[in-house]
Amino acid sequence: MSNSKEFLLIVEDEESIGEGLQYNFEAEGFEVALVSDGKDAIQFIKENYDKISTIILDLMLPQIDGYEILKKTRILAERIPILVLSAKSLEVDRIKAFELGADDYVTKPFSLSEIILRVKRLVQRRKWYKPNGKESIQKFGSSLFDPEQLTITTSDGTTHRISPTEGLLVQIFIENENKILARTDLLQKVWQYEATIETRTVDVFVGKLRKYIEKNAAKPIHIISVRGVGYTYVTNSVEKN
């Protein structure tokens, strides 16, 4: 196969769904690997993480579930975009997946055209962090953001690896300092979602960033909530007691 093809890993134990996705993504020009249980998925990721462009991940899998795969993948490779495709439709499941490192979440039954579009967007988003002549290290709250390495280093010297999705959200906040950003605007800019989709996704990702840049995430002074609207990012602010 051509080396120019994007490599997609599908982790799905329902044969009809897995093979259907594989067939359609290969028709879209992807190189595709399909595995049907969690143990094989983790082994495959360990051996091939440097060439995987995106992962489509079911949560309910034999041997090892999708949540554990998320945790292990984020230790191995923070930059691989992961789209969760699951029958679990509760908000608590979606939030848990995002907190463990998922970039996107789609519930079954699903639209094939939507999945293809979302995966293509994830692949494009993965490339955003490549150097564009901008200053490499940027101040983000009380921390430092490295867009090339995709890290946030806190004032005590602790370095956290972040995903391309989190990095893109950081960059948008930095570029729009002191501006009010609606949740719907952030959904469109980062995830390219329409305003009709639920917006809890933004809140989960903002909560993760606050843990990295705020002295007290419960009383943020850099990423500030604007009630009923969204958020505003402020570099210099007075700490609240």
Side-chain angles (χ1 to χ4, degrees):
M1 292 186 178
S2 171
N3 291 331
S4 64
K5 289 187 176 182
E6 300 291 350
F7 193 101
L8 173 66
L9 171 63
I10 299 172
V11 186
E12 173 61 64
D13 66 329
E14 293 186 48
E15 185 177 337
S16 60
I17 293 178
E19 291 182 352
L21 287 170
Q22 181 175 22
Y23 174 83
N24 282 281
F25 273 101
E26 286 177 345
E28 291 288 326
F30 285 77
E31 182 177 354
V32 182
L34 172 63
V35 297
S36 58
D37 69 69
K39 185 177 179 181
D40 288 345
I42 289 174
Q43 187 61 37
F44 188 92
I45 293 167
K46 284 181 178 178
E47 295 174 354
N48 299 279
Y49 66 86
D50 57 336
K51 72 173 184 178
I52 298 172
S53 299
T54 309
I55 298 172
I56 295 178
L57 176 65
D58 190 11
L59 292 178
M60 295 182 288
L61 296 163
Q63 301 191 64
I64 300 174
D65 68 21
Y67 293 123
E68 187 64 23
I69 294 171
L70 276 169
K71 285 191 281 187
K72 291 185 180 298
T73 301
R74 285 303 173 230
I75 292 172
L76 286 168
E78 194 65 52
R79 292 180 176 180
I80 299 176
I82 302 174
L83 182 148
V84 169
L85 179 61
S86 175
K88 288 178 174 286
S89 58
L90 297 179
E91 183 180 51
V92 65
D93 297 309
R94 186 186 298 265
I95 291 174
K96 182 177 180 180
F98 283 141
E99 288 179 338
L100 290 175
D103 295 278
D104 206 346
Y105 195 111
V106 177
T107 55
K108 301 173 182 177
F110 59 92
S111 160
L112 177 62
S113 59
E114 180 185 3
I115 289 292
I116 291 173
L117 179 61
R118 290 197 185 202
V119 167
K120 286 181 176 180
R121 285 174 174 173
L122 285 173
V123 169
Q124 290 302 312
R125 188 187 308 156
R126 185 174 186 261
K127 301 173 181 177
W128 80 272
Y129 61 83
K130 293 183 178 179
N132 291 312
K134 295 182 179 180
E135 181 181 352
S136 181
I137 308 298
Q138 303 174 65
K139 186 176 180 182
F140 184 46
S142 59
S143 303
L144 295 175
F145 169 55
D146 187 331
E148 185 172 349
Q149 298 300 319
L150 278 177
T151 60
I152 292 177
T153 302
T154 59
S155 55
D156 65 1
T158 302
T159 297
H160 303 272
R161 293 186 301 170
I162 62 175
S163 71
T165 300
E166 291 166 332
L168 182 54
L169 183 57
V170 170
Q171 196 68 61
I172 288 170
F173 276 130
I174 291 173
E175 292 175 355
N176 292 275
E177 184 178 357
N178 299 319
K179 296 179 182 178
I180 295 175
L181 295 169
R183 289 181 179 84
T184 50
D185 290 339
L186 291 170
L187 279 170
Q188 202 286 323
K189 290 176 182 292
V190 179
W191 290 270
Q192 298 187 324
Y193 287 172
E194 297 301 322
T196 53
I197 201 164
E198 48 75 33
T199 57
R200 186 76 173 98
T201 299
V202 175
D203 298 334
V204 174
F205 276 78
V206 167
K208 292 176 71 176
L209 293 182
R210 280 174 169 166
K211 293 177 182 177
Y212 301 146
I213 72 165
E214 305 283 1
K215 290 185 178 180
N216 183 351
K219 296 180 179 180
I221 62 172
H222 296 297
I223 305 179
I224 302 169
S225 298
V226 180
R227 187 176 179 85
V229 181
Y231 299 95
T232 186
Y233 166 67
V234 180
T235 299
N236 300 309
S237 184
V238 178
E239 188 169 1
K240 300 176 183 177
N241 296 319

